[in-house]
């Protein structure tokens, strides 16, 4: 369970009981029943793009007569803040929760059951997107957005190297990086040693499991040969980069490094193009995207579907109104707007046309559909990602020359302690 999350049996039990009896709150459906009310929605900094927010707010008011207030939260310290808020008598009505954290809050009893709503508006959502919103077989949240990494490349540098088209296999990609290294002054790839989410995608691609059940308890599976294989693939990628082996993609922001125009490619989320262009507007027409190629052309590299879910507070007094908001916010029209405006990966087949309007989203879609996944859907996983992340330390150790099995042994006791809630 995430450190700082609601943890006591008494509080968790209280939340479960209130969630169960509070789901009818908020008045009857329709403008007359909700008119004049205000719904509070917590969203994370950078999550709600401007046009999406505008049209959702307008549509919600038109449908219900109520208004919605989006309160933007910062990622730093959000687990403690959200845990506290969800345990209060007047919590925010709807909250954005990272998809690797949702199960922990659900199992604490902090979220309302949304199974009926999922059947109504999300029957065709990709299972990989929805998996993180389920706990113990029940739907405790709804997937809002998710994205996976793609290759964001500098067209000018690739052309200078004489490269035409884009690679369709991993070996072709590595050959392209090698060509850039030999024929230009640019760095082929900027890849810090602790890009944990890219590594997690590689483990998904190799069929590796980062945890396993042993003696009735969840324990680390980092020593699995399949994980070692994923790390070896990561090592091959990182060999084309001079980025620090003990830093992640946010320190410094890799998009800002890319913006200097001296890097052939980065493994990036689609929105990072905006960051790069903001830092260097002249780069706008030189940015391209393609799906991260896998071992064969038929199956892209494994990718982690990182994103967020929307959940309704179990102790909320406006749960019916909150559900009306979710019907609006997660409609086909507004899901398409998220894809077009922010470059998120389509979560259902009929959003493919929206992806065509955003090159990053179009590049992300094939891997999401064929080889996408998330972190282990267990409440205990949240604690593993706490700083300092032991898996990041494992990655740095392997990149520094340590055997994967030995590096795994060095951090598995810490991972097991976190999985045990210690």
């Amino acid at each position: 369970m995430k450190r700082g999350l609601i943890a006591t049996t008494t509080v968790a039990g209280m939340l479960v009981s209130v969630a169960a009896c509070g789901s009818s709150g908020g008045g009857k459906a329709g403008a007359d029943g909700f008119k004049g009310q205000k719904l509070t929605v917590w969203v994370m900094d950078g999550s709600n793009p401007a046009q999406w927010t505008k049209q959702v707010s307008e549509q919600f008011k038109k449908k219900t007569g109520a208004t919605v207030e989006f309160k933007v939260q910062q990622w730093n310290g959000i687990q403690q803040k959200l845990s506290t808020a969800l345990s209060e008598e007047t919590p925010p009505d709807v909250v954005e929760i990272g998809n690797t954290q949702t199960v922990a809050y659900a199992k604490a009893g902090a979220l309302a059951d949304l199974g009926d709503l999922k059947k109504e508006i999300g029957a065709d959502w990709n299972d990989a997107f929805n998996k993180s919103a389920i706990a113990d077989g029940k739907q405790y949240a709804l997937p809002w957005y998710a994205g996976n990494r793609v290759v964001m490349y500098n067209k000018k540098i690739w052309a200078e190297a004489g490269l035409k088209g884009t690679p369709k296999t991993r070996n072709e990609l590595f050959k392209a990086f090698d060509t850039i290294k030999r024929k230009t002054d640019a760095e082929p790839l900027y890849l810090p040693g602790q890009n944990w989410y890219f590594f997690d995608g590689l483990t998904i691609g190799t069929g590796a499991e980062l945890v396993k059940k042993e003696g009735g308890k969840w324990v680390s599976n980092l020593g699995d040969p399949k994980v070692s294989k994923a790390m070896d693939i990561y090592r091959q990628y990182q060999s084309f980069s001079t980025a620090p082996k003990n830093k992640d993609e946010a320190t410094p922001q890799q998009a800002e490094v890319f913006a200097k125009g001296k890097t052939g490619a980065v493994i990036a989320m689609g929105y990072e193009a905006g960051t790069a262009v903001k830092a260097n507007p002249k780069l706008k027409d030189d940015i391209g995207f393609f799906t991260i190629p896998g071992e064969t052309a038929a199956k892209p590299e494994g990718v982690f579907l990182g994103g967020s879910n929307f959940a309704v507070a179990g102790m909320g007094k406006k749960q019916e109104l909150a559900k009306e908001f979710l019907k609006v916010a997660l409609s086909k029209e507004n899901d398409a707007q998220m894809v077009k405006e922010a470059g998120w990966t389509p979560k259902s087949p009929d959003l493919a046309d929206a992806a065509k309007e955003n090159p990053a989203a179009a590049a992300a879609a094939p891997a999401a559909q064929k080889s996408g996944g998330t972190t282990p859907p267990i409440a205990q996983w949240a604690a593993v990602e706490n700083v300092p992340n032991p898996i990041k330390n494992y990655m740095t150790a392997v990149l520094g020359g340590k055997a994967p099995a030995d590096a795994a042994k060095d951090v598995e006791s810490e991972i097991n302690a976190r999985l045990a809630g210690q």
Side-chain angles (χ1 to χ4, degrees), residues 101-262:
Q101 313 294 332
T102 303
V103 173
Y105 287 96
K107 283 183 173 290
L111 310 178
D113 188 334
L114 300 178
D116 56 340
L117 199 54
K118 166 64 170 62
K119 293 177 182 178
E120 181 178 345
I121 66 174
D124 63 345
W125 289 341
N126 185 324
D127 287 342
F129 279 75
N130 194 54
K131 187 177 180 181
S132 68
I134 298 173
D136 296 330
K138 292 185 178 181
Q139 190 87 31
Y140 284 104
L142 300 177
W144 179 20
Y145 66 84
N148 52 276
R149 281 155 177 75
V150 296
V151 180
M152 183 169 82
Y153 72 108
N154 186 314
K155 296 178 182 178
K156 187 175 181 179
I157 290 175
W158 282 55
E160 184 183 342
L163 296 168
K164 297 179 181 180
T166 55
K168 299 298 185 288
T169 67
R170 189 189 304 140
N171 282 340
E172 290 178 6
L173 178 60
F174 290 164
K175 287 180 181 178
F177 288 156
D178 185 62
T179 300
I180 293 172
K181 184 176 182 179
R182 290 186 291 105
K183 294 188 176 183
T184 75
D185 294 330
E187 182 173 20
L189 174 70
Y190 182 84
L191 179 64
Q194 295 186 344
N195 191 324
W196 142 247
Y197 289 118
F198 177 44
F199 168 66
D200 188 55
L202 296 176
T203 66
I204 291 168
T206 59
E209 297 289 345
L210 293 174
V211 297
K212 61 183 177 181
K213 208 70 172 290
E214 194 173 84
K217 299 187 300 182
W218 289 106
V219 297
S220 170
N221 194 39
L222 206 59
D224 189 314
K226 290 181 180 178
V227 177
S228 298
K229 180 181 179 181
M231 191 60 217
D232 182 62
I233 296 171
Y234 189 95
R235 181 191 58 75
Q236 293 177 64
Y237 273 96
Q238 217 275 330
S239 68
F240 293 101
S241 174
T242 61
K245 293 180 172 58
N246 62 343
K247 301 291 184 180
D248 61 24
E249 68 276 19
T251 48
Q253 288 288 337
Q254 65 175 13
E256 294 180 355
V257 175
F258 182 82
K260 296 176 182 178
K262 299 294 184 181

Side-chain angles (χ1 to χ4, degrees), residues 299-321:
K299 187 176 181 180
E301 199 80 271
V303 290
F304 167 70
L305 296 174
S308 289
N309 300 322
F310 266 141
V312 174
M315 296 179 70
K317 303 298 191 295
K318 303 175 183 176
Q319 291 189 17
E320 291 305 315
L321 182 57

